[in-house]
Amino acid sequence: MCDNPRLDAMGAFARYEDIRDRLPRGVRATGTRAISDISCIAPEFDGFLFDAFGVLNVGEGAIPGAVGRVRDLRAAGKVVRVVTNAASYPRDGAVEKFRQLGFDFGREEVVSSRDVAARRLLSIMPDGIWAAIAAPGDDLRDFAGNVANLGTDSGLLDRADGILFLSTACWSTPKQNALVESLRRFPRPVVIANVDLVAPRENGLTVEPGYWGHDIIDRTECRPVFFGKPYRDVFDAATEGIDGLRLAMIGDSLHTDILGAGTAGHRTVLVSSHGLLAGLDIVRLTEVSGIRPDFVAATT
């Protein structure tokens, strides 16, 4: 991370509220039940959709008990899926990262907003060059078409026919200003493959591609296409083959996990002790936002 703005949890919540009209309208839960962890409601569901950051891990460490919880749910015959907005890694890289954290997810059990963007990219712009704002070393082979890493070719910014935003690993305010000026001169398609504004890490919150995507809307005539929670595509991708099951989404964000899953027709669980809203007044935040989960769990 280099020279990015810093947001705390309340700043991120306020920004999500600022852009609320750009998010799905959502379906309000009829009531919220407090539980200690996911095992309390396991008999009520056939499967669970897990967010990653703030639910399974914080930064590079697994949340205590999360590995065992997933293992126990699978042993009880429950379907498990990870539904993540992380777009810095292709699917195999994401599966390997979870393996290093102690989780044994199979490839079919991890679905990211990057996967959905890769499926849809050619329908947005079938020809031309995409400039990818990506992590160092990302080979981008999971994307069809002509996609090149902007980090290895700075002149690509003005030559590219479209912008694909995957990672903020090497992004900064000066680079964002250059992108905004380029888009003002030459409006073109922009895809934000991670709609999150922030992500919880060991030492606070990092700014994610969604933050910069909404900055583009604020400052240009471009209207990026967003992929990931709370938008429907990623939930449809995650539930392929398991439609009709009683599913619950476990997340740490009201405006992405809970809003999106509720809109997609799933029950919702907000984790309160880890991730984005840890330590905050959850009741007040649900009242302010109008986004109410079915359950609030102290931990995964």
Side-chain angles (χ1 to χ4, degrees), residues 53-135:
F53 283 88
V55 173
L56 298 176
N57 64 291
V58 173
E60 301 304 316
I63 287 172
V67 172
R69 184 78 62 228
V70 172
R71 184 171 54 242
D72 291 347
L73 290 172
R74 188 183 281 112
K78 308 299 181 182
V79 172
V80 294
R81 296 284 188 274
V82 178
V83 189
T84 175
N85 283 353
S88 296
Y89 304 92
R91 184 175 297 200
D92 289 340
V95 171
E96 174 60 20
K97 182 176 180 180
F98 284 119
R99 189 195 67 76
Q100 293 175 6
L101 291 170
F103 297 97
D104 60 347
F105 294 115
R107 196 174 187 276
E108 75 286 354
E109 293 178 320
V110 178
V111 178
S112 73
S113 52
R114 176 176 175 132
D115 297 326
V116 181
R119 289 185 184 187
R120 293 279 305 278
L121 200 65
L122 290 183
S123 68
I124 296 169
M125 188 180 74
D127 300 304
I129 302 171
W130 289 94
I133 301 169

Side-chain angles (χ1 to χ4, degrees), residues 6 9 16-18 29 42 44 59 67 69 77 89 91 98 174 191 207 210 212 221-222 228-229 231 241-242 276 293:
R6 302 292 293 181
Y16 274 121
E17 284 293 288
D18 287 342
E44 302 177 33
V67 172
R69 184 78 62 228
Y89 304 92
R91 184 175 297 200
F98 284 119
V191 169
V207 171
W212 298 116
E221 297 301 313
C222 293
K229 301 165 294 181
Y231 300 104
I242 58 172
L276 180 59

Side-chain angles (χ1 to χ4, degrees), residues 18-213:
D18 287 342
I19 61 170
R20 187 65 180 279
D21 62 346
R22 302 171 187 172
L23 305 178
R25 295 189 63 180
V27 178
R28 181 175 299 191
T30 56
T32 300
R33 186 168 121 208
I35 59 175
S36 58
D37 59 59
I38 307 307
S39 67
C40 299
I41 57 171
E44 302 177 33
F45 296 97
D46 304 309
F48 292 88
L49 311 175
F50 289 91
D51 181 31
F53 283 88
V55 173
L56 298 176
N57 64 291
V58 173
E60 301 304 316
I63 287 172
V67 172
R69 184 78 62 228
V70 172
R71 184 171 54 242
D72 291 347
L73 290 172
R74 188 183 281 112
K78 308 299 181 182
V79 172
V80 294
R81 296 284 188 274
V82 178
V83 189
T84 175
N85 283 353
S88 296
Y89 304 92
R91 184 175 297 200
D92 289 340
V95 171
E96 174 60 20
K97 182 176 180 180
F98 284 119
R99 189 195 67 76
Q100 293 175 6
L101 291 170
F103 297 97
D104 60 347
F105 294 115
R107 196 174 187 276
E108 75 286 354
E109 293 178 320
V110 178
V111 178
S112 73
S113 52
R114 176 176 175 132
D115 297 326
V116 181
R119 289 185 184 187
R120 293 279 305 278
L121 200 65
L122 290 183
S123 68
I124 296 169
M125 188 180 74
D127 300 304
I129 302 171
W130 289 94
I133 301 169
D138 189 340
D139 62 25
L140 305 168
R141 284 183 292 180
D142 50 324
F143 289 94
N146 190 348
V147 183
N149 195 324
L150 181 61
T152 61
D153 181 0
S154 59
L156 183 61
L157 180 60
D158 286 326
R159 298 199 319 272
D161 303 291
I163 306 296
L164 171 62
F165 210 137
L166 301 173
S167 171
T168 58
C170 287
W171 203 240
S172 63
T173 297
K175 291 179 180 180
Q176 177 72 5
N177 290 339
L179 172 60
V180 165
E181 289 303 317
S182 180
L183 290 172
R184 286 172 174 165
R185 294 191 303 271
F186 174 25
R188 71 207 97 154
V190 178
V191 169
I192 308 295
N194 175 353
V195 71
D196 286 349
L197 302 184
V198 295
R201 311 274 180 172
E202 294 92 339
N203 299 315
L205 303 177
T206 55
V207 171
E208 298 300 315
Y211 175 92
W212 298 116

Side-chain angles (χ1 to χ4, degrees), residues 32-37 268-272 282 286 293-298:
T32 300
R33 186 168 121 208
I35 59 175
S36 58
D37 59 59
T268 57
V269 184
L270 181 71
V271 174
S272 61
I282 300 296
T286 59
D294 295 291
F295 306 93
V296 173

